[in-house]
Amino acid sequence: MTVLLHRRESSLAPAVSAAILAMVAIQLAAALSRPLVAEIGAPAVTWLRMATAAAILMIVTRPNLRGLDRQSLWAALMLGAALAVMAVSYFAAVSRLPLGLASTIAFLGPFSIALFAARGRVAIALALLAGLGVLLTLDPWSQGSSHGWTADPAGIAFAAISAAGFAAYILLTRRVGLLFRGTDGMTISLLTAAVLLTPFGIAGMDDMPSSTVVLGSASLAVLAPLATCWLEMSALRKLGSQVFSVLLSLEPAIAAVLGIALLVEVPNLLQTAGIACVVVAAIAVVRTGPEGQ
């Protein structure tokens, strides 16, 4: 029994590592995108990233898109729509909120997936704990002071939209990963996201951006979505969506650390406690539900 358990844990180690690397990549891309978003806006930056990523995959992998059944194509198109909503709203949130705060709110999407699989009073208690964590992270009692993170209402709204997109993205990424071999499904999804964001990206640019801004936005495509989508799809092929959602409990902490290191966004004690509440609730919720499917 012990040997079998050890083998199972060893087989899941690459998937867990991929999930963690994906979290670091997306938060690093979000931190690096802030000056670019301030220059041309979140829709334009997100559009350039998606279009660049889709073009790279089309050229490098040359996906075979012939003979796709309707179920597979529809799943990939829906994933592209979820990716577009999640990405543009999250980058808009990060331009208005500290990185750790935006990530904590957006994490409520993955948390809801794990919570939905849980049952009973324990699940309710964990939901309340996560809600308390978000409240502490927002810290309405210290708003306007010089200590801790400052919450912007529009940023909170964008982060909440991102949370909904994040939940759909996780469920659809696992489905696309199982329906497609290789990167064909990811290519269709990224192309769909780029097409959906095109009118918003163009409309968001008042003037022709400088080559530095365009190249900077396009180069972020390597981190997100290329690296993140590939890593997350690889992880979800091995892990259930519930387990993957709980692994993402590390993301608010990763975002907070990167926010401190790169953007000098230091939370106060209440906000730090709030992140801890969300992380603990997320880790605990998987123990109350069935094994991820």
Side-chain angles (χ1 to χ4, degrees):
M1 182 70 177
T2 303
V3 174
L4 291 175
L5 181 61
H6 177 72
R7 286 180 179 175
R8 183 175 184 275
E9 291 175 347
S10 299
S11 66
L12 293 180
V16 172
S17 300
I20 294 173
L21 287 174
M23 287 183 262
V24 174
I26 185 61
Q27 297 306 327
L28 183 58
L32 295 175
S33 74
R34 183 168 290 178
L36 300 171
V37 171
E39 186 76 21
I40 61 174
V45 171
T46 307
W47 171 55
L48 288 169
R49 288 169 43 236
M50 296 297 173
T52 302
I56 290 174
L57 280 181
M58 290 291 290
I59 294 171
V60 173
T61 64
R62 296 184 179 182
N64 181 16
L65 305 182
R66 295 180 180 179
L68 285 178
D69 61 90
R70 183 176 298 180
Q71 180 185 21
S72 300
L73 180 59
W74 182 248
L77 293 175
M78 291 298 292
L79 175 58
L83 178 59
V85 171
M86 177 189 72
V88 73
S89 56
Y90 186 67
F91 274 56
V94 168
S95 70
R96 293 168 171 82
L97 297 174
L99 188 62
L101 177 55
S103 178
T104 301
I105 298 173
F107 173 70
L108 293 180
F111 178 80
S112 66
I113 294 175
L115 186 66
F116 184 77
R119 295 291 184 270
R121 295 179 181 178
V122 175
I124 296 175
L126 292 175
L128 292 175
L129 178 61
L132 174 63
V134 172
L135 179 63
L136 292 175
T137 307
L138 292 172
D139 188 12
W141 308 279
S142 300
Q143 294 302 307
S145 70
S146 58
H147 302 290
W149 295 332
T150 300
D152 174 77
I156 294 172
F158 279 122
I161 295 171
S162 179
F166 204 171
Y169 169 81
I170 289 174
L171 296 174
L172 289 166
T173 296
R174 174 167 169 78
R175 182 167 180 78
V176 169
L178 295 174
L179 288 172
F180 288 85
R181 292 183 179 180
T183 59
D184 289 0
M186 186 169 71
T187 302
I188 298 173
S189 300
L190 290 174
L191 187 59
T192 302
V195 170
L196 291 175
L197 290 170
T198 296
F200 303 100
I202 294 175
M205 294 186 288
D206 297 329
D207 301 310
M208 181 63 67
S210 65
S211 58
T212 302
V213 172
V214 172
L215 289 174
S217 301
S219 64
L220 284 178
V222 177
L223 279 175
L226 276 179
T228 53
C229 286
W230 181 78
L231 288 167
E232 286 168 348
M233 193 168 289
S234 299
L236 279 162
R237 280 176 173 146
K238 289 284 187 181
L239 305 171
S241 56
Q242 182 195 359
V243 175
F244 181 79
S245 298
V246 173
L247 270 177
L248 289 178
S249 63
L250 296 173
E251 191 153 22
I254 291 172
V257 170
L258 288 176
I260 294 170
L262 300 178
L263 303 172
V264 199
E265 296 172 342
V266 182
N268 59 33
L269 290 178
L270 274 181
Q271 290 163 339
T272 303
I275 291 177
C277 287
V278 173
V279 170
V280 169
I283 293 173
V285 75
V286 74
R287 303 180 68 87
T288 68
E291 186 178 356
Q293 298 299 318

